[in-house]
Amino acid sequence: VQLQASGGGLVQPGGSLRLSCVASGSISSINDMGWYRQAPGKQRELVAQITSGGATNYADFVKGRFTISRDNTKSTVRLPVRLQMNSLKPEDTAVYYCQLRSWGLDYWGQGTQVTVSS
């Protein structure tokens, strides 16, 4: 299984970015996808998750600002997931990683840098 993420960049406070990730390979039909982030000197933390059934879970610090979504597909070879980030704050600056949990294993993308600064 491979995950390819894209969409990071530099944005001013209050701006928006959309991250995209595609998981490809042999994927279980029951799976979770998510976005995590890691800021310098800090541990990696959960940002948002979405199950194959569409249930979502958000960290408190992004509720109302970020939206995770995925195509309503039952594909077991290619799964896109997106993270729409609005009202960005400087404290959102971090490397963002997409994650897939499939067959009881966690797979990670390569990370994409998001920098929020004026």
Side-chain angles (χ1 to χ4, degrees), residues 12-15 61 65-66 86-93 115-117:
Q12 292 186 342
F61 52 78
R65 301 190 297 126
F66 291 12
N86 299 327
S87 303
L88 283 161
K89 305 175 181 180
E91 52 263 43
D92 294 319
T93 295
T115 302
V116 185
S117 175

Side-chain angles (χ1 to χ4, degrees), residues 1-5 21-23 33-38 44-49 95-102 105-111:
V1 176
Q2 292 185 329
L3 285 79
Q4 182 69 41
C21 178
V22 177
M33 298 193 77
W35 289 95
Y36 288 71
R37 71 186 188 186
Q38 187 167 18
R44 190 173 298 188
E45 59 184 358
L46 172 68
V47 175
Q49 288 176 316
V95 177
Y96 284 69
Y97 298 89
C98 61
Q99 174 250 4
L100 165 72
R101 177 162 292 176
S102 169
L105 298 176
D106 288 336
Y107 300 89
W108 296 91
Q110 82 279 17

Side-chain angles (χ1 to χ4, degrees), residues 14-69:
S16 298
L17 279 175
R18 189 173 81 164
L19 305 183
S20 298
C21 178
V22 177
S24 59
S26 178
I27 303 168
S28 65
S29 59
I30 299 174
N31 56 76
D32 297 334
M33 298 193 77
W35 289 95
Y36 288 71
R37 71 186 188 186
Q38 187 167 18
K42 295 188 176 181
Q43 290 187 334
R44 190 173 298 188
E45 59 184 358
L46 172 68
V47 175
Q49 288 176 316
I50 185 167
T51 70
S52 49
T56 57
N57 178 44
Y58 294 94
D60 287 344
F61 52 78
V62 302
K63 283 182 179 178
R65 301 190 297 126
F66 291 12
T67 303
I68 189 170
S69 62

